[in-house]
Amino acid sequence: MKRNSKSLLLSLLFLVSLILPGASFAQEGESSGIEGIEIAPKSIEVFSTEDIEMTARQALENDFDSVQGTVLNLGATNKKHWIKVELPALRQIETYYLLINYPLIDKMNVYDLSTGLPVLVDRTGQFEAFEERDYNYKNFLFPVRNFAGGNRKVILFEVSSGKQLLFPIELAPEQEVIRMNGRNNLISGFYTGVILVMLLYNLFIFTTTSDQNYLYYVIYIFFLGLTQAALQGFGDMFLWPDSAWLSLNATQLFGSLVGIASMVFVKFFLHLRRFLPKINLVFNILIFLDFIAFLLVLFGFQIFSYSLINAVAGIASILGTVAAVILTRQGNRTATFFLVAWSTFIAGIIIYVLKDYGLVPYTPFTNSALLIGSGAEVVLLSFALADKINTYRSRMQESQTRALEALRENERIVREQNVILERKVEERTFDLKKANDELSQALRELREAQGQLVEAEKMASLGQLTAGIAHEINNPVNFISSNITPIKNDVEDLFDAFFSLEKFIQESGNEDLIQKAKDLKEEMDVDYAHEEVNLLLKGMKDGVDRTVEIVRGLRVFTRLDEAVFKPVDLHEGIDSTLILLNNKLKNKVEVVKEYDEIPEVECYGGKMNQVFMNLIVNAVQAFDDHPNDKIQPTITIGTKSLGEKVRISISDNGPGIPDSIKDKIFDPFFTTKPVGKGTGLGLSIVYQIIDAHGGDLEVKSIEGKGTEFIITLPVQNKPD
């Protein structure tokens, strides 16, 4: 299928090559019997000015310069050009037309000078939509009958353009105009057919192969077709006939886009980033400049945009050729195909430009050189991409062959290794089974020991907790118990006094009895009894409050088994721990609190209480194991906010930790206590809890002066 498509395209190009040489403009002479009338070069004069407000009468007051040839190349400038043309004598039996065979003229006013004064007879150009023109012709057409005067007709053209301005002028009868229009449409039709076939063909290849080169090439073909349509005038005629803005700017817009698309395609097609990184960098800069040119068109800088596009195109053409030559010399087959296609396109451009400057004749071939060159390039690059697929396929087959051979060799090696491995496995299986049994037994014993140690630590903590609760609850109970009897006696006395006084009053009913009642009240000192009752009740209340405080502290501390990770007030946890340890601290160790204002910390509250309990108990036990009558045992607990972290310091003025064991205190089962008094897991558990909270635990100790444990915790944390 691919081969048939390529053959069809070659046949189309061959047919075009047969048609083009036989076609010529009327000014060369035709065998059809219908001839155009040549306008002598001396009959054309031109005057250019930067005064865009100049009128036709003012222009005629200046000196016009004679030109050579009938194709004027006025360049790309902001100037206004005045072109005066003297037409030859015409046969009255024919209808003649004056043709300006260049569609890219922004504004053109046509004046009749046959009467001596300029008379405006037509106003046209790309500034107006194509559908508003008088003739459905891609170039500009003026019937000569519209001009006054006898056989001598003098015409003045006022032209300006934001692009390269050519002015090929020709005089031809109506039938010749029709024939030329048909020939131009035929050539452009062949070109459009080639572009469409190549676009669809390569788009189909892209959808089947997903090769990005085809995608970039399809984009390039699309914008190339639009650019050529704009340059040849067919865009105004067929694609945007109702848009004057596109007519004026399509050449620059699509010229910049086709420049970007072509350079992107060349970069990827020739792999410039890998093979020629410096040229690839220059291409990136040129792509950026073409993008700037695109923006300049949108902001109304047509001349500057057109010049920038031409400059970038010239540099990119040279660089593309240089890159292709370098890679071709290195044996790159893809670069060779590209060089042939690129050279064809460059040759078409050169011929087209030389025609514009009058260095080669203005013929159908030279006028269509750009179409022929770009069409040939499109076809040849399609062949190059197809060859690239063949190259990929060949390399893939070679790679698959090598991979298959390597796979077979690997299979052979694997079979040999399997035999060796099976033998070694059989030799090691017995040893591994034996070792596995021994390890399993050791693991079971270790787990049993670990369980026993954990249970022992739990029982030790539970014992401390139980002792503290028993002692602290007994005190408020004793308060209540010791005050019950006095309260009862005082209440009985008060009631006896009340009943006696009431009895005396009832029996006597006189003043003497009343006086006796008063005396009795004073004798019993009822006011003092009332005050005593109040004091006793206050004592009972204090005891009850103490009981409540202990119970609350116990409730806070028993968060040890709570598994909720939430914000916790560390001060509350420390205070509850101190309440439970009051039995160990009272009258023996002074506790100094240096609390700072700290935020709540996200943690497991119960586990943090366990940390405080273990560290404070260790300090108390250090005082018990190493008593010193010269100092007051003191534990200082301080907190401080560090922004996103908090610091808790628990220090004592005890015996300190010897340097010889300082590095071992966090090791599991390490203890300096006698057997039965410690498991060696307390500080190890503390370290594990702090580490699980993402915190740090630091110990500072000077032997004989004391020890300080510093805990640093993040305020916001995630459960570990």
Side-chain angles (χ1 to χ4, degrees):
M1 179 179 178
K2 295 178 182 177
R3 185 175 301 173
N4 292 336
S5 300
K6 296 174 184 177
S7 300
L8 176 60
L9 292 173
L10 287 174
S11 300
L12 290 174
L13 290 175
F14 179 69
L15 181 59
V16 172
S17 67
L18 291 177
I19 294 173
L20 290 179
S24 63
F25 285 105
Q27 66 192 75
E28 298 179 51
E30 290 288 342
S31 59
S32 63
I34 304 173
E35 299 181 354
I37 297 178
E38 182 176 344
I39 300 175
K42 64 181 180 179
S43 302
I44 303 175
E45 297 178 329
V46 65
F47 166 68
S48 301
T49 178
E50 294 183 355
D51 184 2
I52 61 175
E53 302 296 332
M54 180 177 289
T55 64
R57 291 189 179 187
Q58 293 172 339
L60 291 174
E61 296 175 357
N62 294 275
D63 295 329
F64 281 69
D65 298 324
S66 298
V67 298
Q68 299 296 326
T70 58
V71 180
L72 303 182
N73 191 326
L74 301 173
T77 66
N78 286 317
K79 291 183 178 181
K80 179 185 290 187
H81 306 281
W82 299 88
I83 303 168
K84 188 164 55 177
V85 179
E86 182 177 350
L87 300 181
L90 304 176
R91 294 179 294 179
Q92 297 300 322
I93 60 173
E94 297 285 354
T95 300
Y96 282 87
Y97 290 87
L98 195 61
L99 286 80
I100 310 300
N101 291 312
Y102 189 70
L104 306 180
I105 299 176
D106 291 355
K107 294 181 180 180
M108 179 164 53
N109 295 332
V110 185
Y111 300 89
D112 185 0
L113 300 181
S114 300
T115 61
L117 295 176
V119 178
L120 181 65
V121 296
D122 203 347
R123 183 188 300 272
T124 186
Q126 289 186 305
F127 78 95
E128 64 177 4
F130 185 85
E131 62 183 10
E132 297 178 5
R133 297 186 191 178
D134 295 333
Y135 296 94
N136 188 27
Y137 189 69
K138 69 184 187 70
N139 296 321
F140 298 101
L141 188 66
F142 309 101
V144 177
R145 65 175 179 270
N146 290 346
F147 302 97
N151 291 331
R152 182 181 181 277
K153 296 183 182 295
V154 181
I155 303 171
L156 179 66
F157 294 91
E158 177 189 357
V159 295
S160 61
S161 182
K163 304 172 278 294
Q164 182 77 18
L165 180 55
L166 302 179
F167 201 78
I169 185 170
E170 186 175 355
L171 186 63
E174 183 176 6
Q175 294 185 32
E176 177 66 10
V177 172
I178 295 173
R179 188 186 66 79
M180 286 191 296
N181 187 39
R183 181 184 60 210
N184 291 335
N185 290 342
L186 179 63
I187 295 173
S188 299
F190 272 114
Y191 178 79
T192 303
V194 171
I195 291 295
L196 289 177
V197 170
M198 289 296 97
L199 189 147
L200 296 175
Y201 170 74
N202 288 281
L203 183 61
F204 172 75
I205 297 298
F206 168 71
T207 57
T208 56
T209 63
S210 298
D211 188 341
Q212 286 189 343
N213 286 291
Y214 283 94
L215 176 61
Y216 297 136
Y217 188 53
V218 166
I219 296 173
Y220 165 62
I221 293 175
F222 176 74
F223 286 119
L224 178 64
L226 289 178
T227 303
Q228 291 298 335
L231 289 172
Q232 298 298 321
F234 288 103
D236 297 347
M237 190 173 180
F238 297 111
L239 300 180
W240 46 85
D242 57 347
S243 175
W245 186 87
L246 265 180
S247 295
L248 288 171
N249 300 291
T251 303
Q252 294 97 318
L253 286 175
F254 297 125
S256 60
L257 292 176
V258 75
I260 294 172
S262 63
M263 286 185 283
V264 171
F265 169 70
V266 171
K267 278 163 47 69
F268 282 89
F269 185 73
L270 295 181
H271 301 287
L272 294 183
R273 184 177 181 182
R274 182 174 62 180
F275 296 126
L276 299 171
K278 293 183 178 179
I279 294 181
N280 181 73
L281 177 61
V282 177
F283 263 94
N284 289 336
I285 297 173
L286 294 177
I287 290 172
F288 177 74
L289 292 177
D290 258 341
F291 178 71
I292 296 297
F294 179 84
L295 295 179
L296 289 173
V297 180
L298 300 180
F299 288 101
F301 298 96
Q302 284 84 358
I303 290 292
F304 189 52
S305 173
Y306 189 85
S307 301
L308 182 59
I309 291 170
N310 286 341
V312 170
I315 297 172
S317 299
I318 295 172
L319 279 179
T321 304
V322 171
V325 169
I326 293 173
L327 295 177
T328 299
R329 288 183 176 179
Q330 295 176 358
N332 191 317
R333 180 182 174 90
T334 300
T336 304
F337 275 95
F338 175 81
L339 182 60
V340 174
W342 193 256
S343 300
T344 303
F345 184 47
I346 297 301
I349 294 175
I350 293 173
I351 294 172
Y352 188 82
V353 173
L354 292 178
K355 174 266 300 178
D356 291 343
Y357 284 93
L359 299 178
V360 298
Y362 191 93
T363 67
F365 174 73
T366 58
N367 191 44
S368 304
L370 194 57
L371 288 178
I372 297 172
S374 62
E377 180 212 22
V378 167
V379 176
L380 291 174
L381 284 178
S382 295
F383 292 163
L385 287 170
D387 180 74
K388 198 169 188 177
I389 290 180
N390 293 332
T391 302
Y392 285 159
R393 183 185 296 112
S394 176
R395 291 177 180 174
M396 185 179 297
Q397 290 176 351
E398 294 177 1
S399 176
Q400 289 176 348
T401 301
R402 289 195 297 269
L404 183 60
E405 293 176 354
L407 182 61
R408 291 174 179 173
E409 180 65 18
N410 288 337
E411 288 178 353
R412 184 187 63 81
I413 295 174
V414 168
R415 285 195 299 271
E416 295 177 356
Q417 292 295 326
N418 284 340
V419 175
I420 298 174
L421 287 174
E422 287 176 0
R423 185 169 59 252
K424 290 184 177 180
V425 167
E426 291 176 356
E427 294 174 355
R428 296 294 179 90
T429 299
F430 178 77
D431 295 337
L432 289 174
K433 187 176 182 300
K434 182 179 179 181
N436 185 52
D437 294 340
E438 294 175 353
L439 288 173
S440 298
Q441 180 63 27
L443 181 61
R444 284 193 297 271
E445 295 175 356
L446 181 61
R447 287 177 177 173
E448 292 175 0
Q450 183 180 12
Q452 293 173 359
L453 289 173
V454 171
E455 290 299 324
E457 185 66 23
K458 287 182 178 179
M459 292 304 296
S461 298
L462 183 60
Q464 295 174 356
L465 183 63
T466 304
I469 292 174
H471 180 78
E472 292 300 333
I473 288 180
N474 281 335
N475 284 335
V477 170
N478 289 335
F479 278 124
I480 296 172
S481 176
S482 62
N483 286 328
I484 289 176
T485 301
I487 290 175
K488 182 178 180 181
N489 293 334
D490 288 340
V491 170
E492 289 178 353
D493 290 339
L494 287 173
F495 273 104
D496 289 343
F498 173 78
F499 289 130
S500 297
L501 181 59
E502 182 181 17
K503 182 177 179 181
F504 285 132
I505 293 173
Q506 290 176 352
E507 290 178 355
S508 63
N510 57 36
E511 295 293 331
D512 293 334
L513 293 177
I514 294 172
Q515 185 61 40
K516 289 181 180 180
K518 290 181 179 180
D519 294 339
L520 180 62
K521 182 178 179 180
E522 291 176 358
E523 181 182 351
M524 298 298 297
D525 199 0
V526 175
D527 293 333
Y528 173 78
H530 182 266
E531 181 180 356
E532 184 179 15
V533 167
N534 288 337
L535 291 174
L536 292 174
L537 290 175
K538 183 178 182 300
M540 294 174 66
K541 183 177 183 301
D542 290 340
V544 171
D545 290 343
R546 179 63 176 163
T547 303
V548 171
E549 182 182 1
I550 292 171
V551 172
R552 184 183 63 84
L554 179 61
R555 185 178 65 253
V556 173
F557 183 82
T558 52
R559 289 189 301 190
L560 180 64
D561 296 326
E562 185 178 332
V564 178
F565 192 88
K566 62 182 181 180
V568 172
D569 185 349
L570 296 182
H571 289 163
E572 184 182 49
I574 295 172
D575 292 339
S576 66
T577 303
L578 292 174
I579 289 174
L580 297 180
L581 292 176
N582 189 54
N583 182 39
K584 289 182 174 292
L585 300 174
K586 189 175 182 181
N587 300 326
K588 293 191 295 182
V589 180
E590 179 182 0
V591 177
V592 179
K593 299 179 183 179
E594 296 178 351
Y595 289 174
D596 192 7
E597 188 172 337
I598 62 173
E600 292 186 341
V601 176
E602 293 183 353
C603 63
Y604 292 109
K607 291 186 178 295
M608 292 309 304
N609 290 342
Q610 186 179 5
V611 169
F612 302 145
M613 172 73 80
N614 286 344
L615 294 179
I616 296 172
V617 167
N618 277 355
V620 173
Q621 290 177 347
F623 289 125
D624 293 339
D625 295 340
H626 303 84
N628 188 347
D629 297 332
K630 297 180 180 181
I631 63 171
Q632 168 62 44
T634 303
I635 296 175
T636 302
I637 303 174
T639 61
K640 185 174 181 61
S641 175
L642 303 177
E644 296 182 355
K645 296 183 178 181
V646 297
R647 184 178 67 192
I648 305 98
S649 170
I650 300 176
S651 61
D652 62 67
N653 59 350
I657 301 173
D659 293 336
S660 59
I661 65 171
K662 191 180 296 183
D663 295 334
K664 302 178 182 179
I665 60 174
F666 295 115
D667 293 343
F669 310 115
F670 177 81
T671 181
T672 58
K673 297 182 178 63
V675 176
K677 289 190 176 182
T679 63
L681 291 176
L683 289 179
S684 176
I685 292 173
V686 168
Y687 183 86
Q688 292 175 6
I689 293 174
I690 299 301
D691 183 69
H693 282 76
D696 296 317
L697 178 60
E698 181 184 3
V699 58
K700 296 180 180 180
S701 181
I702 299 177
E703 192 170 359
K705 292 186 177 181
T707 302
E708 180 182 17
F709 287 91
I710 301 173
I711 302 169
T712 305
L713 293 173
V715 175
Q716 294 183 345
N717 201 350
K718 294 182 179 180
D720 188 2

